[in-house]
Structure formats: structure tokens, C-alpha cells
Amino acid sequence: ALSIAVPVVTRAIARSRAGGGDRFVRWTEPVVVSLAFGVLAWSVLGFTLVKRIPIDTGDHQIMIVRAELFAKSLLSGKLRYFTHSVQGGDSLVDLYPIFANLVSTAFYAVLPKSMPFPMVYTVMCIWAWWFRGIATYHLARRFAGPLASAFVALLMLFEV
């Protein structure tokens, strides 16, 4: 999803910087969309941060442990439980590609050390949910108007 999301969002930003039209109007849509999806992400998942409840839907409990193993291993300078024989390099303790673990490791490195890893993982999940919404919106925006794009993004976020 991020392999599609990052280019789409960067193109949307570049398009808003391009010439033609009022500069304020070009920046309005990406900013409003980002803020709207931020408010939505906070209203749906913000309680997990306020009440300090780690995200625990689906298989997140085991993913938190795997991501924590990966983060502590990587930050210690040793990449344990890793093989070059699977998928061009993959973790032996994880059935999923390691990108989410890399992102959670980045969050773990920059967030306060007093924050326990399950809460760091929760912050990463909320950020990923928000980013998925704006990326889907901007991808849909290439083919449809703002209302249809917002509708598609909401369907994607709630997996309808």
C-alpha cells in the first residue's frame, strides 16, 4: 500500500506547487483532507492513546511482540532472526514483510523512551491508518472529484 501511497501523495504535493491558479486554493485541498482524516483517525482510534490501551484487534498482539523484537534487535546493532534466503531478506519470526517493523522501529527511535513499545506500535498503527486514508483519497482524486474520492477513502479505511 505504501509503494502506491508515497508516490501519489508526493505527486499531489508537487501538483499543488505547480504553476497556474491561486496558490492558496492549490494548497487548500491537501491540507483540509489531511486535517479531516486526522480528526477522523483521532475520533476513531484516539481513545487508545488517551486511555493508554494498546491496539489489540486481529493479530496485533503477536505483531507487537514481533515488532518489539525487531526494533530492539535493530537498535542494538544486531539483526537477529533474519535470513537472506527468504524474499531477498526477511525476518524469521515474522510471516509478514518487515516494512511495518521498520516503521515501528523509526517511531520507537524518535518517541520518548518512557513510552512502552505497545503504545509506540499503537501510535504507528494510528499514523498508518491516517496515511492510508489520505493516500487513498489522493489516488482516487486522480480519477474522480473530491466527494467521490472522500467516499472511496472512507470505504477503504473502514474496509467496506
Coordinates of all heavy atoms in Angstrom, one line a residue, residues 94-155:
D94 N 8.7 -13.5 11.6 CA 7.5 -12.7 11.1 C 7.1 -13.3 9.8 O 7.9 -13.6 8.9 CB 8.0 -11.3 10.9 CG 6.8 -10.3 10.9 OD1 5.7 -10.8 10.8 OD2 7.1 -9.1 11.0
L95 N 5.8 -13.5 9.6 CA 5.2 -14.0 8.4 C 4.9 -12.9 7.4 O 4.6 -13.2 6.3 CB 4.0 -14.8 8.7 CG 4.2 -16.1 9.6 CD1 2.8 -16.7 9.9 CD2 5.1 -17.1 8.9
Y96 N 5.0 -11.7 7.9 CA 4.7 -10.5 7.0 C 6.0 -9.9 6.6 O 7.0 -10.0 7.3 CB 3.9 -9.5 7.8 CG 2.5 -10.1 8.2 CD1 2.3 -10.5 9.5 CD2 1.5 -10.2 7.3 CE1 1.1 -11.0 9.9 CE2 0.3 -10.7 7.7 CZ 0.1 -11.1 9.0 OH -1.1 -11.6 9.4
P97 N 6.0 -9.1 5.5 CA 7.2 -8.3 5.2 C 7.6 -7.4 6.3 O 6.7 -7.0 7.1 CB 6.8 -7.5 3.9 CG 5.7 -8.4 3.3 CD 5.0 -9.0 4.5
I98 N 8.8 -7.0 6.4 CA 9.3 -6.3 7.6 C 9.1 -4.7 7.5 O 9.5 -4.1 8.5 CB 10.8 -6.5 7.8 CG1 11.6 -6.0 6.6 CG2 11.1 -8.0 8.0 CD1 13.1 -6.0 6.9
F99 N 8.4 -4.2 6.5 CA 8.3 -2.8 6.4 C 7.6 -2.1 7.6 O 8.1 -1.1 8.2 CB 7.6 -2.3 5.1 CG 7.7 -0.8 4.9 CD1 8.8 -0.2 4.6 CD2 6.5 -0.1 5.2 CE1 8.9 1.2 4.4 CE2 6.5 1.3 5.0 CZ 7.7 1.9 4.6
A100 N 6.5 -2.8 8.1 CA 5.8 -2.2 9.3 C 6.7 -2.3 10.5 O 6.7 -1.4 11.3 CB 4.5 -3.0 9.5
N101 N 7.6 -3.3 10.6 CA 8.5 -3.3 11.7 C 9.5 -2.2 11.6 O 10.0 -1.7 12.6 CB 9.2 -4.7 11.8 CG 8.3 -5.8 12.1 OD1 7.1 -5.6 12.6 ND2 8.7 -7.0 11.9
L102 N 10.0 -1.9 10.4 CA 10.9 -0.8 10.2 C 10.3 0.5 10.6 O 10.9 1.4 11.2 CB 11.4 -0.7 8.7 CG 12.4 -1.8 8.3 CD1 12.6 -1.8 6.8 CD2 13.7 -1.7 9.0
V103 N 9.0 0.7 10.2 CA 8.3 2.0 10.5 C 8.1 2.1 12.1 O 8.4 3.1 12.7 CB 7.0 2.1 9.8 CG1 6.2 3.3 10.3 CG2 7.2 2.1 8.3
S104 N 7.7 1.0 12.7 CA 7.6 1.0 14.2 C 8.9 1.2 14.9 O 9.0 1.9 15.9 CB 6.9 -0.3 14.7 OG 7.6 -1.4 14.4
T105 N 10.0 0.7 14.3 CA 11.3 1.0 14.8 C 11.7 2.4 14.7 O 12.2 3.0 15.7 CB 12.4 0.1 14.1 OG1 12.1 -1.3 14.2 CG2 13.8 0.4 14.7
A106 N 11.3 3.1 13.6 CA 11.6 4.5 13.5 C 10.8 5.3 14.5 O 11.3 6.2 15.1 CB 11.2 5.0 12.0
F107 N 9.5 4.9 14.7 CA 8.7 5.6 15.7 C 9.3 5.4 17.1 O 9.4 6.3 17.9 CB 7.2 5.1 15.7 CG 6.4 5.8 14.7 CD1 6.3 5.4 13.4 CD2 5.6 6.8 15.1 CE1 5.5 6.0 12.5 CE2 4.8 7.5 14.2 CZ 4.7 7.1 12.9
Y108 N 9.8 4.1 17.4 CA 10.4 3.8 18.7 C 11.6 4.6 18.9 O 11.9 5.0 20.1 CB 10.7 2.3 18.7 CG 11.2 1.8 20.0 CD1 10.4 1.8 21.1 CD2 12.4 1.1 20.1 CE1 10.8 1.3 22.4 CE2 12.8 0.6 21.3 CZ 12.0 0.7 22.4 OH 12.5 0.2 23.6
A109 N 12.4 4.9 17.9 CA 13.6 5.7 18.0 C 13.3 7.2 18.3 O 14.1 7.8 19.0 CB 14.5 5.5 16.7
V110 N 12.2 7.7 17.8 CA 12.0 9.1 17.9 C 11.0 9.5 19.0 O 11.0 10.6 19.5 CB 11.5 9.8 16.6 CG1 12.6 9.7 15.5 CG2 10.2 9.2 16.1
L111 N 10.2 8.6 19.5 CA 9.2 8.9 20.5 C 9.9 8.8 21.9 O 11.0 8.2 22.0 CB 8.0 7.9 20.5 CG 7.1 8.2 19.3 CD1 6.0 7.1 19.2 CD2 6.4 9.5 19.4
P112 N 9.4 9.4 22.9 CA 10.0 9.3 24.2 C 10.3 7.9 24.7 O 9.5 7.0 24.5 CB 9.0 10.0 25.2 CG 8.1 10.8 24.3 CD 8.1 10.1 23.0
K113 N 11.5 7.7 25.3 CA 11.9 6.4 25.8 C 11.0 5.9 26.9 O 10.9 4.7 27.2 CB 13.3 6.4 26.3 CG 14.3 6.7 25.2 CD 14.3 5.7 24.1 CE 15.2 6.0 23.0 NZ 14.8 5.4 21.7
S114 N 10.2 6.8 27.6 CA 9.3 6.4 28.7 C 8.1 5.7 28.1 O 7.3 5.1 28.9 CB 9.0 7.6 29.5 OG 8.3 8.5 28.7
M115 N 7.8 5.8 26.8 CA 6.6 5.2 26.2 C 6.9 3.7 26.0 O 7.9 3.4 25.3 CB 6.3 5.9 24.9 CG 5.0 5.4 24.3 SD 4.6 6.3 22.7 CE 3.9 7.8 23.4
P116 N 6.1 2.8 26.5 CA 6.3 1.4 26.3 C 6.0 1.1 24.8 O 5.3 1.7 24.1 CB 5.2 0.7 27.2 CG 4.3 1.8 27.6 CD 4.9 3.1 27.4
F117 N 6.7 0.0 24.4 CA 6.6 -0.3 22.9 C 5.2 -0.6 22.4 O 4.9 -0.2 21.3 CB 7.6 -1.5 22.6 CG 7.7 -1.7 21.1 CD1 8.6 -1.0 20.4 CD2 6.8 -2.6 20.4 CE1 8.7 -1.1 19.0 CE2 6.9 -2.7 19.1 CZ 7.9 -2.0 18.4
P118 N 4.4 -1.3 23.2 CA 3.0 -1.4 22.7 C 2.3 -0.1 22.4 O 1.5 -0.1 21.4 CB 2.3 -2.2 23.8 CG 3.4 -3.0 24.5 CD 4.6 -2.1 24.4
M119 N 2.6 0.9 23.1 CA 2.0 2.2 22.8 C 2.6 2.9 21.6 O 2.0 3.5 20.8 CB 2.1 3.2 24.0 CG 1.2 2.7 25.2 SD -0.5 2.3 24.8 CE -1.1 3.9 24.1
V120 N 3.9 2.6 21.4 CA 4.6 3.1 20.2 C 4.0 2.4 19.0 O 3.7 3.1 17.9 CB 6.1 2.8 20.3 CG1 6.8 3.1 18.9 CG2 6.8 3.6 21.4
Y121 N 3.8 1.1 19.1 CA 3.1 0.4 18.0 C 1.7 0.9 17.7 O 1.3 1.0 16.6 CB 3.1 -1.1 18.3 CG 2.6 -2.0 17.2 CD1 3.4 -2.5 16.2 CD2 1.2 -2.3 17.2 CE1 2.9 -3.3 15.2 CE2 0.7 -3.1 16.2 CZ 1.6 -3.6 15.2 OH 1.1 -4.4 14.2
T122 N 1.0 1.3 18.7 CA -0.3 1.9 18.6 C -0.3 3.2 17.9 O -1.1 3.5 17.0 CB -1.0 2.0 20.0 OG1 -1.1 0.7 20.6 CG2 -2.4 2.7 19.9
V123 N 0.7 4.1 18.2 CA 0.9 5.3 17.5 C 1.2 5.1 16.0 O 0.6 5.7 15.1 CB 2.0 6.1 18.2 CG1 2.4 7.3 17.3 CG2 1.7 6.6 19.5
M124 N 2.0 4.1 15.7 CA 2.3 3.7 14.4 C 1.1 3.3 13.6 O 0.9 3.6 12.5 CB 3.4 2.6 14.3 CG 4.0 2.3 12.9 SD 3.1 1.0 12.0 CE 3.2 -0.4 13.0
C125 N 0.3 2.5 14.3 CA -1.0 2.0 13.6 C -1.9 3.1 13.3 O -2.5 3.2 12.2 CB -1.7 0.9 14.5 SG -0.8 -0.6 14.5
I126 N -2.1 4.1 14.2 CA -2.9 5.2 14.0 C -2.4 6.1 12.9 O -3.1 6.5 12.0 CB -3.1 6.1 15.3 CG1 -3.8 5.2 16.3 CG2 -3.8 7.4 15.0 CD1 -3.9 5.8 17.7
W127 N -1.1 6.3 12.8 CA -0.5 7.0 11.8 C -0.7 6.3 10.4 O -1.0 7.0 9.4 CB 1.1 7.2 12.0 CG 1.8 7.8 10.8 CD1 1.9 9.1 10.5 CD2 2.4 7.1 9.8 NE1 2.6 9.3 9.4 CE2 2.9 8.1 8.9 CE3 2.7 5.8 9.5 CZ2 3.6 7.7 7.7 CZ3 3.4 5.4 8.4 CH2 3.8 6.4 7.5
A128 N -0.5 5.0 10.4 CA -0.7 4.2 9.2 C -2.1 4.3 8.7 O -2.4 4.4 7.5 CB -0.2 2.8 9.4
W129 N -3.1 4.3 9.6 CA -4.5 4.4 9.3 C -4.8 5.7 8.6 O -5.4 5.8 7.6 CB -5.3 4.1 10.5 CG -6.7 3.7 10.2 CD1 -7.2 2.5 9.8 CD2 -7.9 4.6 10.4 NE1 -8.6 2.6 9.7 CE2 -9.0 3.8 10.0 CE3 -8.1 5.9 10.8 CZ2 -10.3 4.4 10.1 CZ3 -9.3 6.4 10.9 CH2 -10.5 5.7 10.5
W130 N -4.3 6.8 9.3 CA -4.4 8.1 8.7 C -3.8 8.3 7.4 O -4.4 8.8 6.4 CB -3.8 9.1 9.7 CG -3.7 10.5 9.2 CD1 -4.6 11.5 9.1 CD2 -2.5 11.1 8.7 NE1 -4.1 12.6 8.5 CE2 -2.8 12.4 8.3 CE3 -1.2 10.7 8.5 CZ2 -1.9 13.3 7.7 CZ3 -0.2 11.5 7.9 CH2 -0.6 12.8 7.6
F131 N -2.6 7.8 7.2 CA -1.9 7.9 6.0 C -2.6 7.1 4.9 O -2.6 7.5 3.7 CB -0.4 7.4 6.1 CG 0.5 7.7 4.9 CD1 0.9 9.0 4.7 CD2 0.9 6.8 4.1 CE1 1.6 9.4 3.6 CE2 1.6 7.1 3.0 CZ 2.0 8.4 2.7
R132 N -3.1 5.9 5.2 CA -3.9 5.1 4.2 C -5.1 5.9 3.7 O -5.4 5.9 2.5 CB -4.3 3.8 4.8 CG -4.9 2.9 3.9 CD -5.1 1.5 4.5 NE -6.5 1.4 5.0 CZ -7.0 0.3 5.6 NH1 -6.2 -0.7 5.7 NH2 -8.2 0.3 5.9
G133 N -5.7 6.7 4.6 CA -6.9 7.5 4.2 C -6.5 8.6 3.2 O -7.1 8.7 2.2
I134 N -5.5 9.3 3.5 CA -5.1 10.4 2.6 C -4.5 9.9 1.3 O -4.7 10.5 0.3 CB -4.2 11.5 3.3 CG1 -2.9 10.9 3.7 CG2 -4.9 12.2 4.5 CD1 -1.9 12.0 4.2
A135 N -3.8 8.8 1.4 CA -3.2 8.3 0.2 C -4.3 7.8 -0.7 O -4.3 8.0 -2.0 CB -2.2 7.2 0.5
T136 N -5.3 7.1 -0.2 CA -6.4 6.6 -1.0 C -7.2 7.7 -1.6 O -7.6 7.7 -2.8 CB -7.3 5.7 -0.1 OG1 -6.6 4.6 0.4 CG2 -8.5 5.2 -1.0
Y137 N -7.4 8.8 -0.8 CA -8.1 10.0 -1.3 C -7.4 10.6 -2.5 O -7.9 10.8 -3.6 CB -8.2 11.0 -0.2 CG -8.8 12.3 -0.8 CD1 -10.2 12.5 -0.9 CD2 -8.0 13.4 -1.2 CE1 -10.8 13.6 -1.4 CE2 -8.6 14.5 -1.7 CZ -9.9 14.6 -1.8 OH -10.5 15.8 -2.3
H138 N -6.0 10.8 -2.4 CA -5.3 11.4 -3.5 C -5.2 10.5 -4.7 O -5.2 11.0 -5.8 CB -3.9 11.8 -3.0 CG -4.0 13.0 -2.1 ND1 -4.4 14.3 -2.6 CD2 -3.7 13.2 -0.8 CE1 -4.3 15.1 -1.6 NE2 -3.9 14.5 -0.5
L139 N -5.1 9.2 -4.5 CA -5.1 8.2 -5.6 C -6.5 8.3 -6.3 O -6.6 8.4 -7.5 CB -4.9 6.8 -5.2 CG -4.9 5.7 -6.2 CD1 -3.8 6.0 -7.3 CD2 -4.8 4.4 -5.6
A140 N -7.6 8.3 -5.6 CA -8.9 8.4 -6.2 C -9.1 9.7 -6.8 O -9.8 9.8 -7.8 CB -10.0 8.1 -5.1
R141 N -8.5 10.8 -6.3 CA -8.7 12.1 -6.8 C -8.1 12.2 -8.2 O -8.6 13.1 -9.0 CB -8.0 13.1 -5.9 CG -8.3 14.5 -6.1 CD -9.7 14.8 -5.7 NE -10.0 16.2 -5.9 CZ -10.4 16.8 -7.0 NH1 -10.7 16.0 -8.1 NH2 -10.6 18.1 -7.1
R142 N -7.2 11.4 -8.6 CA -6.7 11.4 -10.0 C -7.8 11.0 -11.0 O -7.7 11.3 -12.2 CB -5.5 10.5 -10.1 CG -4.4 10.9 -9.2 CD -3.2 10.0 -9.4 NE -2.6 10.2 -10.7 CZ -1.5 9.5 -11.1 NH1 -1.0 8.7 -10.3 NH2 -1.1 9.8 -12.3
F143 N -8.8 10.3 -10.5 CA -9.9 9.7 -11.4 C -11.2 10.3 -11.1 O -12.1 10.1 -12.0 CB -9.9 8.2 -11.2 CG -8.6 7.5 -11.4 CD1 -7.9 7.1 -10.3 CD2 -8.1 7.4 -12.7 CE1 -6.7 6.4 -10.5 CE2 -6.9 6.8 -12.9 CZ -6.2 6.3 -11.8
A144 N -11.5 10.9 -10.0 CA -12.8 11.4 -9.7 C -12.7 12.7 -8.9 O -11.7 13.2 -8.6 CB -13.5 10.3 -8.8
G145 N -13.9 13.3 -8.6 CA -14.0 14.5 -7.9 C -13.7 14.3 -6.4 O -13.6 13.2 -5.9
P146 N -13.8 15.4 -5.6 CA -13.5 15.4 -4.2 C -14.4 14.5 -3.4 O -14.0 13.8 -2.5 CB -13.4 16.8 -3.7 CG -13.9 17.6 -4.9 CD -14.0 16.8 -6.1
L147 N -15.7 14.6 -3.7 CA -16.7 13.9 -2.9 C -16.6 12.4 -3.1 O -16.6 11.6 -2.2 CB -18.1 14.3 -3.2 CG -18.5 15.7 -2.6 CD1 -19.9 16.1 -3.0 CD2 -18.3 15.8 -1.1
A148 N -16.5 12.0 -4.4 CA -16.3 10.5 -4.7 C -15.0 10.0 -4.1 O -15.0 8.9 -3.6 CB -16.4 10.3 -6.2
S149 N -14.0 10.8 -4.2 CA -12.7 10.4 -3.6 C -12.7 10.2 -2.1 O -12.2 9.3 -1.6 CB -11.6 11.4 -4.0 OG -11.5 11.5 -5.4
A150 N -13.4 11.1 -1.5 CA -13.6 11.0 0.0 C -14.4 9.8 0.4 O -14.1 9.1 1.3 CB -14.2 12.3 0.6
F151 N -15.4 9.5 -0.4 CA -16.3 8.3 -0.2 C -15.4 7.1 -0.3 O -15.5 6.2 0.5 CB -17.5 8.3 -1.1 CG -18.4 7.2 -0.9 CD1 -19.2 7.1 0.2 CD2 -18.5 6.2 -1.9 CE1 -20.1 6.1 0.4 CE2 -19.4 5.1 -1.7 CZ -20.2 5.1 -0.6
V152 N -14.6 7.0 -1.4 CA -13.8 5.8 -1.6 C -12.8 5.6 -0.5 O -12.5 4.5 0.0 CB -13.1 5.9 -3.0 CG1 -12.0 4.9 -3.1 CG2 -14.1 5.7 -4.1
A153 N -12.2 6.7 0.0 CA -11.2 6.7 1.0 C -11.8 6.2 2.3 O -11.3 5.4 3.1 CB -10.5 8.1 1.2
L154 N -13.1 6.7 2.6 CA -13.7 6.2 3.8 C -14.1 4.7 3.7 O -13.9 4.0 4.7 CB -15.0 7.0 4.0 CG -14.8 8.4 4.5 CD1 -16.1 9.2 4.5 CD2 -14.2 8.5 5.9
L155 N -14.5 4.3 2.5 CA -14.8 2.8 2.4 C -13.5 2.0 2.6 O -13.5 1.0 3.2 CB -15.3 2.6 1.0 CG -16.7 3.1 0.7 CD1 -17.1 2.8 -0.8 CD2 -17.7 2.4 1.6

